[in-house]
Amino acid sequence: MRALPMLTAPTAAGKSALALDLAEQAGAELVCADAFTVYQGLDIGTAKPGAAERAQVPHHLLDVASVTGPFDVAQFVALAEAAIADILARGRTPLIVGGTGFYLAALRRGLPLTPPSDPQVRAEVEAELQERGLDALLAEIERRHPQEAARLERNPRRVVRAAELYRRTGRYPGEFGHQAPAYRYEVVAFTRPPAELEARMHARTLAMFAAGWADEAAWLATQVSPDQTPRPTAWQALGYREALAVAQGTLSVQAAAEQVTLATRQYAKRQLTFTRTQLGAALLSEGEARRHVRAALAR
C-alpha cells in the first residue's frame, strides 16, 4: 500500500490553510490530528476549522469528544484509522494534518504496548506534580532518558504517566515498543522563519480574543473546573487559563496576548524538536511542503 501523506508544522504556521487548499485541489479529505480540536465547544482558542472550511473539504475527528471527559491517544488512533479506512473505501485520499506530535507518532508507529495505569501510583505522582511542579518531574526524566523527555512535549498528563510507569517498571512508555501501524505514512513538515512565526502567533492570538475567546474560556469553566487535580485535559490547551483571566477581569487582553504568545513560541520549539527527532522529518519551507504533499496526493 502506498504511503499516505501526513502534513505537520508548528502552531500558527498555516498548516490548516495549506492542507485545506491542497485537499480541495486533489479531492482529498482531511483527518485532523490535534489534541484539542477533538473537543466540542473549543472552537476559537483551538483555531478549529469553521463551517466554511468544512463545507469546502470534509474534515474528520473534529468535535468527537466532550470537554467533561478524557480523550487519549488510543481513542484518537482508533477513530483516525476508522476514518482513513472509510475514506479509502470510498475511493478518496486522506491527508492527515495536525500539530500534535504524539498523535502523529502513534499513527505512524502504532500504539505503544504499555501496561495499564496503576491508580495509586498515579495519584502519588499527581500529588508530587502539584507540590514540586512540572519542571522538577520532567528534569528527572530528562536526566535518565532525554529522548523520552522530548517526546512528552511538556504535557503534564504524559509526564505523570511516564513517571508513574518508571516507578513501577523501571521503564518509560517509549521503551515498551508499539503495535504494528495500520497504514504507512509520508511525513511532510514545514516551518517559517522565527520572527515571522512569532508575528503570526501574536496576530492570531489577538484575533482569537477579538472573536470571543474569553467568553469561550468562561463557558469551559462552567463545564469543568480548571482547578481540578489532575488538571482536566481540556484545560491543558494553550491560552485558556489566560483567556479565563481576561473573562474574570484579572488580566488585560494585551497582557494575556503577550503571555499566550510566549507560551505558544515555547510550544512551537518543542513541536519542531519532536518533528525532527520523533517523526524523522526534515523541516521544509511552505512552498517545498506544498510540492511534496501535492505529489503524494497525486500518486
Side-chain angles (χ1 to χ4, degrees), residues 26-238:
E29 300 187 18
L30 296 177
V31 178
C32 303
D34 185 286
F36 299 107
T37 59
V38 297
Y39 287 110
Q40 301 155 9
L42 300 194
D43 302 328
I44 299 169
T46 64
K48 185 184 294 177
E53 289 86 356
R54 297 192 214 189
Q56 282 179 261
V57 170
H59 287 66
H60 301 265
L61 270 72
L62 299 179
D63 299 324
V64 295
S66 167
V67 295
T68 59
F71 188 86
D72 61 25
V73 66
Q75 291 169 279
F76 166 76
V77 169
L79 290 173
E81 290 181 346
I84 290 168
D86 173 65
I87 294 166
L88 292 172
R90 289 187 279 103
R92 293 172 69 86
T93 300
L95 169 56
I96 295 83
V97 57
T100 301
F102 192 56
Y103 282 9
L104 297 173
L107 272 182
R108 183 169 168 264
R109 296 176 185 165
L111 282 171
L113 296 168
T114 49
S117 178
D118 182 310
Q120 181 177 343
V121 179
R122 186 178 185 86
E124 292 171 1
V125 177
E126 286 167 351
E128 193 172 329
L129 174 66
Q130 294 299 313
E131 182 182 343
R132 299 176 58 208
L134 179 65
D135 288 336
L137 286 181
L138 198 54
E140 288 183 2
I141 297 171
E142 191 163 18
R143 282 196 298 271
R144 298 185 184 112
H145 201 309
Q147 275 193 319
E148 185 74 10
R151 190 185 70 82
L152 298 174
E153 294 185 298
R154 292 185 61 82
N155 182 301
R157 185 163 51 96
R158 297 213 297 269
V159 170
V160 166
R161 172 64 168 148
E164 172 227 323
L165 201 57
Y166 182 83
R167 293 176 190 191
R168 290 166 50 208
T169 68
R171 298 160 69 189
Y172 288 114
E175 299 178 86
F176 280 85
H178 300 79
Q179 298 175 5
Y183 302 97
R184 292 192 306 114
Y185 301 92
E186 177 183 348
V187 182
V188 179
F190 76 95
T191 189
R192 297 178 183 275
E196 180 185 353
L197 189 59
E198 183 169 357
R200 290 174 63 94
M201 291 172 184
H202 192 253
R204 188 178 76 166
T205 300
L206 289 174
M208 287 173 172
F209 278 114
W213 191 8
D215 291 338
E216 185 171 280
W219 167 82
L220 179 59
T222 69
Q223 303 301 302
V224 58
S225 170
D227 300 320
Q228 287 182 24
T229 303
R231 184 167 53 147
T233 305
W235 278 107
Q236 294 175 24
L238 276 174

